[in-house]
Amino acid sequence: MSSSILVTGGAGFIGSALVRRLLLSTESNIVVLDALTYAGNLENLDGVIDGHRCRFLRGSITDTRLVETILQGEKFDGIINCAAESHVDRSIESAVPFIHTNVVGTQVLLDVARRQNVRRFLQMSTDEVYGDLPRNADAFRSTSPLAPSSPYSASKAAADLLVLAAHRTHGQDVVITRCSNNYGPRQFPEKFIPLMILNALEGRPLPVYGDGRQIRDWIHVDDHCEAVIRAYHDGDSGAVYTIGGDCERENIDVVHMILKATASASAVTHVTDRPGHDRRYAIDVSETATRLGWTPSIRFEDGLAETIEWYRTHQAWWTNVKSGDYRTYYERHYGSFHEGTL
Ligand code: NAD
Ligand code: DAU
C-alpha cells in the first residue's frame, strides 16, 4: 500500500466528494482532518470512513501541535488543503475566523509539511481571488492579477501567496487550484444553489441579491474533484491551475431553472445586494485542459437536475443541517434585508 494523503476539510461539501473520488482513483490511504465547524458534517462521509483505508480526525488546521503529531505518525505523500471558512456573506459579517483558518491554518500546514518532508501540498483555492470581471473582458487565466473583493477572497488570496512563497523560499512542492462556483450533493444550504432549491421545495421566497444579473461559472463538484486529483498527481510544482465549468449563467436564470425543475410556486424576491458584490466570474479552462488533459464533463442542466433530486430525496440530511445555528444565521442575515429596495 502506498503512503497516505491528508485531506483537510474532508467533511465539507467539496472535501467529502474529493475523499470519495480519491478512494476510487488512488491506492493511497486517506486521513481526513476536519474541525467540524457549522459547515462540516460527518454524515457527508457516511459509508466512507472505515478506520483503515480512510480515517477521520477531528481538529483544526491551525493547531500546530496536532498537525505535527498527525504528520509524524505515518508517511504522508501529500496534503490536499480543502479546509476553509468558505462563505462570502459570513466573511462580510465577521472576517477574523477567515483569517485564522484560511491564512494562519494554511501557513501551519505548510510549515509542518516542510518539517515532516511531506512531498506535495495542494492548496484548493478559488477564482474569487481574481475579483470582479467586466462583462466584455476575457475569462480569468492562471496569470490574471489578484484583486480580491471580499474578506473571504482576500484571505484565500493571502493563503495562495503564502503557498507560492513557500515554493520560492523553501523549494516546497506546491500546487494551487483555482476553481469557479461548485454545485452538487451535500452543499451547505447557505450557498446559492442549495438555498434556492430548498426554498423552492419548501415554498419559501427565493432571495435574489440586487438585480440578479450577476454571472457565475458553474461546475459540478465531481468535475472539480477530478481536476484537483489530476493537479495533485501531474501538476507542475509551483503551478497554478484554473478550473471551471465553461458555464456562465446569470443568477436570475438559475433561479428560474430551479423554479421550473421543482414546479415550485415560490416567489422570487429581490433583496438588498451583497456589499462589494462581484458581478462576473469566468474561467478560461484551455490552459488546464492542455496541461492536465482534463475538461469538465457534466452538463449544467443534467448536474442541476441530479442535485435537485438529491435534495428532494435527502430531507433528513438538510433538516439536520438547517436546525440550530443555521436557523439563527438565516434569520439574522435574511431578516435584516429589505425586500424590493432595488
Ligand atoms: P465547506 O464550507 O462546505 O467545507 C469546509 C470544511 O472545512 C468543513 O468541513 C469545515 O468543518 C472545515 N473546516 C473549517 N475550518 C477548519 C479548520 N480550522 N480546521 C479544519 N477544518 C476546518 O466548503 P467547500 O465549499 O467544500 O469548500 C472547500 C474548499 O474549496 C475551500 O477552501 C473553498 O475556499 C474552496 N472552493 C470552494 C468553491 C465552492 O464553490 N464551494 C469553489 C472554489 C473553491
Ligand atoms: O467562485 C468560487 C466561490 O464560489 C467559492 O470560492 C466560494 O467558497 C463559494 O461560496 C462561491 O462564492 P459565491 O459568493 O459566488 O457563492 P454564493 O453561493 O454565496 O453566491 C452565488 C451567487 O448568488 C452570488 O452572485 C450571490 C448570489 N446570491 C447568493 C445567496 C446566498 C443571491 O443572489 N442570493 C443568496 O441568498
Side-chain angles (χ1 to χ4, degrees), residues 13-14 84-90 98 124-129 140 150 152-153 156 178-182 187-196 199 206-219 243 249-252 255 269-274 277-281 283 326 329-330 333-334 337:
F13 162 52
I14 300 173
E85 289 294 340
S86 66
H87 194 39
V88 172
D89 292 326
R90 289 192 193 245
F98 289 72
M124 186 176 283
S125 186
T126 167
D127 64 351
E128 291 202 16
V129 297
F140 296 130
S150 70
Y152 161 72
S153 51
K156 294 294 288 185
R178 292 183 182 146
C179 188
S180 59
N181 285 62
N182 285 220
Q187 186 166 29
F188 195 80
E190 66 191 354
K191 304 284 165 53
F192 179 70
I193 284 191
L195 187 141
M196 297 300 169
N199 282 17
L206 310 192
V208 171
Y209 295 165
D211 62 5
R213 298 206 55 214
Q214 306 85 358
I215 294 172
R216 293 294 181 269
D217 168 53
W218 292 101
I219 182 170
I243 302 169
R249 294 280 190 283
E250 287 190 356
N251 291 340
I252 193 69
V255 162
T269 311
H270 289 270
V271 298
T272 306
D273 208 350
R274 171 187 282 173
H277 199 167
D278 290 334
R279 293 291 293 181
R280 177 178 173 229
Y281 303 139
I283 287 286
Y326 180 67
Y329 164 78
Y330 191 93
H333 185 62
Y334 292 96
F337 283 157

Side-chain angles (χ1 to χ4, degrees), residues 85 90-102 151-152 155:
E85 289 294 340
R90 289 192 193 245
S91 79
I92 293 168
E93 200 179 282
S94 171
V96 170
F98 289 72
I99 309 306
H100 280 307
T101 288
N102 301 359
Y152 161 72
S155 72

Side-chain angles (χ1 to χ4, degrees), residues 7-13 15-16 32-46 49 55-62 66 82-85 101 188 317 321 325:
V7 179
T8 66
F13 162 52
S16 61
V32 173
L33 173 63
D34 197 296
L36 296 182
T37 65
Y38 76 92
N41 184 351
L42 268 183
E43 281 181 44
N44 291 347
L45 292 168
D46 267 358
I49 304 290
R55 281 162 292 143
F56 178 80
L57 301 168
R58 183 172 189 175
S60 174
I61 61 168
T62 60
L66 172 69
C82 313
E85 289 294 340
T101 288
F188 195 80
W317 182 93
V321 301
D325 284 358

